[in-house]
Amino acid sequence: RRVHGGTEKKLRQMEHAQRLVAEKAELERVIEELVSDLNATGVGVSAPLVDSEGFPRSDIDIPAIREKRHRLACLRTDHKQLMSKIEEALYSLHASTRQSQSDQSTPTSVSPAVHTTFSFVHTIENDSPAYKAGLRVHDEIISFGHISSAKHFQDIASLVKDKEGQSIPVKVLREGQVINLSLTPARWQGKGLLGCHILVNQ
């Protein structure tokens, strides 16, 4: 079966994003090992390598520690750059998803003019309040409580804080289908009250 050009492009973008995420995981594994090795020396990643009188400590391998600290600094820079690449890849993938949805002409497709989205779910943590409410990565947000435009996007944070423990109606667009959810901000084992990262549409 012939694959539609837009779908093929989206698949390539998805594979690219997955490769970047895998590279990130490997980089974080190496960074974690380096930090563990440095902590095992007793000086960690930032403690002085000299004694109280300013002389190099004789109880540690200073050259080896300096080498590992330098490598760690380089890897952290690489990690920062990689995170930027991942964000760019996800933006591109999201844009392709929006384009493919607008190109659909089947009766089940949703007209962008009828359901205008202003933001989307960038990342989400498993077992978080957002995940349990049914939100998923790449969901396009039509409305979040009373907020339904990019102009008021910044108000989401204060709304979430004010509504801790209370239900917030959230309407999303997922693969051309409108889905109504009920999201309750709450404290959990992770960060924040939602456990997801929402970005405004560009």
Side-chain angles (χ1 to χ4, degrees):
R1 187 178 63 177
R2 184 175 178 271
V3 180
H4 189 275
T7 302
E8 188 175 342
K9 178 183 178 183
K10 183 179 176 182
L11 286 173
R12 288 199 304 268
Q13 290 174 330
M14 189 175 295
E15 289 171 356
H16 176 60
Q18 289 173 340
R19 285 195 298 270
L20 290 176
V21 170
E23 186 177 341
K24 168 180 168 288
E26 175 61 19
L27 192 59
E28 289 174 344
R29 183 189 66 79
V30 176
I31 288 175
E32 186 176 345
E33 286 183 357
L34 270 176
V35 171
S36 179
D37 288 346
L38 286 168
N39 287 338
T41 65
V43 294
V45 299
S46 59
L49 303 181
V50 295
D51 58 24
S52 59
E53 297 180 352
F55 292 102
R57 289 176 53 174
S58 59
D59 59 327
I60 55 176
D61 188 344
I62 292 180
I65 292 174
R66 282 177 174 165
E67 181 182 350
K68 287 182 178 180
R69 284 182 174 181
H70 175 70
R71 187 184 177 204
L72 179 62
C74 293
L75 290 177
R76 282 176 169 170
T77 298
D78 291 344
H79 185 271
K80 184 177 180 180
Q81 294 172 346
L82 187 57
M83 290 300 291
S84 296
K85 290 181 180 179
I86 290 175
E87 186 164 349
E88 290 174 5
L90 290 176
Y91 265 125
S92 297
L93 181 59
H94 174 69
S96 294
T97 301
R98 286 174 59 83
Q99 183 61 46
S100 64
Q101 288 172 352
S102 65
D103 288 344
Q104 290 175 356
S105 58
T106 59
T108 56
S109 64
V110 177
S111 170
V114 177
H115 298 288
T116 303
T117 63
F118 69 96
S119 60
F120 66 98
V121 180
H122 183 210
T123 60
I124 191 167
E125 299 292 334
N126 289 336
D127 297 325
S128 64
Y131 188 88
K132 291 179 179 178
L135 274 179
R136 295 296 180 264
V137 172
H138 300 316
D139 276 356
E140 299 179 69
I141 298 177
I142 298 171
S143 63
F144 193 104
H146 65 278
I147 301 167
S148 59
S149 70
K151 183 170 66 174
H152 301 293
F153 175 76
Q154 299 297 333
D155 295 337
I156 289 180
S158 57
L159 174 64
V160 168
K161 184 177 180 181
D162 293 341
K163 290 288 187 177
E164 181 178 352
Q166 302 177 50
S167 176
I168 300 175
V170 179
K171 183 181 292 185
V172 303
L173 186 64
R174 180 186 302 163
E175 298 179 354
Q177 299 296 319
V178 175
I179 301 174
N180 291 294
L181 302 172
S182 179
L183 173 59
T184 303
R187 300 188 182 280
W188 60 298
Q189 66 267 29
K191 294 181 179 179
L193 298 174
L194 297 183
C196 70
H197 187 199
I198 297 174
L199 296 179
V200 67
N201 287 345
Q202 298 300 305

